[in-house]
Amino acid sequence: MSVDQASAACTGGDGSQTTVIQWVVDTRTLWTEAAQTKDLSRVASRALDLLTESEKGEVLRFYFVKDAKLKLVSILLKRYVISRFCEGVAWDEAKAVPDARTKPVFIMPDGSEPLLFNLTHQAGLVVLLAVHRPTPGLAVGVDLVCQPERRERDLRTITGQGWAHYVDMHDGMLSPGEMRALKALPFPDTDRRLAYFYSIWCLREAYVKMTGEALLAKWLRDLDMRGFAPPQEQAGKQLEIFLHGEKVQGVDMKLEPYLDEYMIGTAVRRDENGKGIELGEYVSLDIDAVLTAGEKSRRGES
């Protein structure tokens, strides 16, 4: 699939075109011959050849091959989106660096930031949300959760120690109001309760990633989301965000199902003029297209 097919564009008031990119790569189907991480050196040699020695080391240090594949694809996607959308930037120059808050960014030599991007991965999937030519003040965050991945562990804890204990285990990561709301859910079905838990977790992660502070934020317990629900139960409910007791304005949040097992949460801070972006569907990206683009960029081909 081409990059243009995986993008949505809109024109701003100044005539510039802002492009929204939403990609997903399923690593579970990639390099399946690799039984151990070290096998990737052989099985995924084409992909690894597009990385620096330092990046290769980051990939191959993972004990589990599934985690190594997630890291490998995450690095590839960042280089791909930067080299594809940032004019004059070749593959080897398309390297994200941490900003002052450790959020990965790409800064052009002139100091401009023509591309905003955020990645998340879990249970075999890597998701990228990016905005090319963002308007001033815009910010994005994305998170992915897979409730079935931890279901056995969750059920074991809840069965042995109760739902209230399970919620209390996440004290410090949730607000007091969110914890009360989870404990007060008026139905006994554990999987349904867990769907609410993972919904608020995903939304919060997307929000804090949008701010650039991620889980290092010192205000996590002061962030309170009200009216949260899993995608299939959002009808008639309105999500509201409060920080330090004040209602947050100018942030658009979305929680949507993906495949049968995942939820993707997005947070978009509107620009200085109060304008956000229009999200579309996440598009499954062909990893071979990514590798081919990287190889062509290295050879100086368009």
Side-chain angles (χ1 to χ4, degrees), residues 229-297:
Q232 65 272 22
E233 299 192 29
Q234 289 177 357
K237 297 184 180 180
Q238 181 66 46
L239 180 69
E240 295 181 307
I241 311 164
F242 290 79
L243 183 61
H244 303 300
E246 299 290 329
K247 189 172 181 178
V248 174
Q249 306 288 350
V251 174
D252 300 318
M253 301 207 66
K254 185 177 182 180
L255 185 66
E256 58 188 306
Y258 188 79
L259 301 178
D260 294 326
E261 302 178 335
Y262 299 86
M263 287 184 279
I264 300 177
T266 54
V268 178
R269 185 177 64 216
R270 298 176 202 162
D271 66 16
E272 295 172 354
N273 295 317
K275 184 178 180 181
I277 58 174
E278 184 176 344
L279 294 172
E281 295 183 0
Y282 284 88
V283 177
S284 179
L285 200 63
D286 181 359
I287 199 65
D288 285 334
V290 176
L291 302 183
T292 298
E295 292 161 351
K296 285 183 176 181
S297 179

Side-chain angles (χ1 to χ4, degrees), residues 15-74:
S16 63
Q17 192 174 70
T18 295
T19 304
V20 180
I21 306 106
Q22 296 172 250
W23 292 335
V24 179
V25 175
D26 190 343
T27 69
R28 297 172 297 182
T29 62
L30 302 178
W31 310 301
T32 54
E33 307 96 310
Q36 302 179 62
T37 297
K38 64 180 181 181
D39 297 335
L40 291 175
S41 296
R42 169 180 53 85
V43 174
S45 59
R46 184 184 174 200
L48 287 168
D49 284 345
L50 288 169
L51 273 56
T52 65
E53 289 303 315
S54 174
E55 290 169 336
K56 290 179 187 177
E58 292 178 28
V59 172
L60 297 175
R61 75 182 181 207
F62 282 93
Y63 181 80
F64 294 109
V65 66
K66 63 179 182 179
D67 297 326
K69 291 196 293 183
L70 289 172
K71 183 65 174 181
L72 173 55
V73 169
S74 295

Side-chain angles (χ1 to χ4, degrees), residues 1-276:
M1 176 167 292
S2 71
V3 172
D4 291 337
Q5 289 174 295
S7 310
C10 57
T11 302
D14 61 356
S16 63
Q17 192 174 70
T18 295
T19 304
V20 180
I21 306 106
Q22 296 172 250
W23 292 335
V24 179
V25 175
D26 190 343
T27 69
R28 297 172 297 182
T29 62
L30 302 178
W31 310 301
T32 54
E33 307 96 310
Q36 302 179 62
T37 297
K38 64 180 181 181
D39 297 335
L40 291 175
S41 296
R42 169 180 53 85
V43 174
S45 59
R46 184 184 174 200
L48 287 168
D49 284 345
L50 288 169
L51 273 56
T52 65
E53 289 303 315
S54 174
E55 290 169 336
K56 290 179 187 177
E58 292 178 28
V59 172
L60 297 175
R61 75 182 181 207
F62 282 93
Y63 181 80
F64 294 109
V65 66
K66 63 179 182 179
D67 297 326
K69 291 196 293 183
L70 289 172
K71 183 65 174 181
L72 173 55
V73 169
S74 295
I75 295 172
L76 291 170
L77 284 192
K78 282 184 280 191
R79 283 193 177 272
Y80 183 34
V81 73
I82 293 169
S83 62
R84 169 60 180 84
F85 283 96
C86 297
E87 185 177 357
V89 178
W91 181 271
D92 288 334
E93 300 167 339
K95 182 172 174 56
V97 296
D99 66 6
R101 295 169 297 182
T102 74
K103 184 178 183 179
V105 298
F106 179 75
I107 307 295
M108 295 286 282
D110 63 2
S112 63
E113 191 175 350
L115 183 75
L116 302 179
F117 59 89
N118 199 226
L119 283 88
T120 182
H121 56 73
Q122 189 180 357
L125 299 192
V126 181
V127 175
L128 177 141
L129 172 62
V131 182
H132 182 227
R133 296 196 183 101
T135 46
L138 193 75
V140 298
V142 64
D143 192 59
L144 174 74
V145 295
C146 178
Q147 182 178 335
E149 184 187 38
R150 298 186 172 97
R151 184 174 185 272
E152 289 187 12
R153 182 205 64 183
D154 290 340
L155 291 181
R156 190 163 51 246
T157 300
I158 295 167
T159 300
Q161 301 182 67
W163 174 247
H165 173 81
Y166 179 85
V167 174
D168 285 338
M169 287 171 54
H170 301 91
D171 183 28
M173 306 303 289
L174 301 174
S175 73
E178 291 163 347
M179 294 178 67
R180 286 193 299 270
L182 286 169
K183 290 179 181 180
L185 289 172
F187 41 79
D189 182 85
T190 299
D191 283 314
R192 190 178 173 192
R193 287 178 169 182
L194 284 170
Y196 273 78
F197 170 82
Y198 281 104
S199 295
I200 187 59
W201 191 270
C202 190
L203 288 166
R204 288 177 61 89
E205 286 268 314
Y207 185 94
V208 295
K209 290 176 71 177
M210 175 198 70
T211 69
E213 297 185 59
L215 294 180
L216 297 177
K218 297 180 180 180
W219 40 261
L220 282 178
R221 296 191 82 248
D222 294 316
L223 175 66
D224 185 38
M225 296 193 180
R226 305 173 188 177
F228 61 89
Q232 65 272 22
E233 299 192 29
Q234 289 177 357
K237 297 184 180 180
Q238 181 66 46
L239 180 69
E240 295 181 307
I241 311 164
F242 290 79
L243 183 61
H244 303 300
E246 299 290 329
K247 189 172 181 178
V248 174
Q249 306 288 350
V251 174
D252 300 318
M253 301 207 66
K254 185 177 182 180
L255 185 66
E256 58 188 306
Y258 188 79
L259 301 178
D260 294 326
E261 302 178 335
Y262 299 86
M263 287 184 279
I264 300 177
T266 54
V268 178
R269 185 177 64 216
R270 298 176 202 162
D271 66 16
E272 295 172 354
N273 295 317
K275 184 178 180 181

